[in-house]
Amino acid sequence: MAGVAGRSRDEVAAYLALAQVPGIGAARLRTLVAAFESAAAALRAPHGAIAALPGFSRAAATAIRAGSPRAGHEVLAELDRLGARVLLPDDPAFPPLLSEVPDPPALLFVWGDAALLGRPAAGIVGSRDHSPYGAEAARLLAAGVAGAGVVVVSGMARGIDAIAHAAALDAGGASVGILGNGFGVIYPAVNRVLYERMVARGCLVTELPPGERPHAGAFPKRNRLISGLAGVTVVIEAAPGSGALITADCALDQGRAVLAVPGPITSPTSLGCNKLIQQGAKPALAAGDILEELGLPGAVPGAAEGDASARTPPPDLSALQRSLWDTLRTEPRHVDVLVATAGAETGAVLTALTELEMRGVVTQRPGMVFGLA
């Protein structure tokens, strides 16, 4: 592994060693490196000089003096073995959006395509114990935004998170998974295949060193990275007090947009989303709503604005959806015309139109007229 942003491997190892000292976060790391002009020098600095720094106690100085570059070199060796890397805040590949959050990470361990961290992204989060409705909404929204070139960011948890990641990849798009554990640990174990897919076609990110097991305190910190990487966070199903709502709170603290998928008032997993909407969050009814928040068009990328005939359909449409898309390619049509031309039952056509609308492929206009988004 080469040095990071012009740093030598020894300097990166020293920085990683400092980062592993308990209680040394991003702000203290910046103070140390600035005061002694390098992480390696900070590790060798006199006890009294460290303790004299603003915000540092004698106990903190003792812990830093006990650190060794060897710990950092061990981390680098494990990253090399996995084919992963570490990004420090001054690395050109470090995502600029994460530099803007109130509690920026001191470093990021990245496994997969690090270039995805600089692309427009939407966080999609929700309940582990979701309903079939929540699962379908996650698939439609994740596939819709991924098909438009937006990276889907989520927390690699069981349930809505895993569904959103998989749907983005299935649609031929990209996804970033934020872990509450270190590389080399698969949590939850049921996501082993998803881990492999994410490394191969997406990207995994964590603040924790390789081999570190998940613990309760890691997940709120992970949640701030999900919202921090994304221009907008979408909550699909969330019971009161759930991690998905914590992610929404992080997004609001970071000044980022929050959308919520409305659900039945009788569903416990929709209570959190309905409350968010009641408090002013925009309802997420289609992928186009998410794209709009990111300032992106809802049309298929590459299409000339206003020129529907220049567009190409998403590759994974069903036969009925493709038939409807072809009919709408030239101009908007009333639903009765679509039913007649599709040769299908009215219910089936309405279901297909709803699915296309959820994906941001079509929009409904007044009078039951539909057109391409």
Side-chain angles (χ1 to χ4, degrees), residues 326-347:
D326 287 337
T327 303
L328 295 172
R329 185 172 186 171
T330 53
E331 62 179 338
R333 307 275 185 172
H334 189 272
V335 67
D336 291 344
V337 175
L338 294 173
V339 170
T341 56
E345 294 291 331
T346 301

Side-chain angles (χ1 to χ4, degrees), residues 65-87:
R65 288 285 296 164
S68 167
R70 183 183 302 111
H73 279 292
E74 289 173 355
V75 172
L76 290 177
E78 182 61 15
L79 293 176
D80 288 344
R81 187 186 71 79
L82 293 170
R85 62 187 289 198
V86 62
L87 300 180

Side-chain angles (χ1 to χ4, degrees), residues 119 143-150 291 296-305 310-315 360 373:
R119 283 176 44 184
V145 298
V150 172
L291 299 176
L296 299 173
V300 176
E305 187 174 352
R311 303 179 191 174
T312 56

Side-chain angles (χ1 to χ4, degrees), residues 10-58:
D10 285 344
E11 174 63 11
V12 176
Y15 188 96
L16 291 175
L18 285 174
Q20 292 184 70
V21 175
I24 303 299
R28 283 184 167 183
L29 265 173
R30 284 194 298 270
T31 299
L32 282 169
V33 174
F36 301 108
E37 300 184 343
S38 74
L43 277 176
R44 300 190 301 267
H47 185 280
I50 299 173
L53 293 174
F56 284 78
S57 63
R58 295 188 63 81

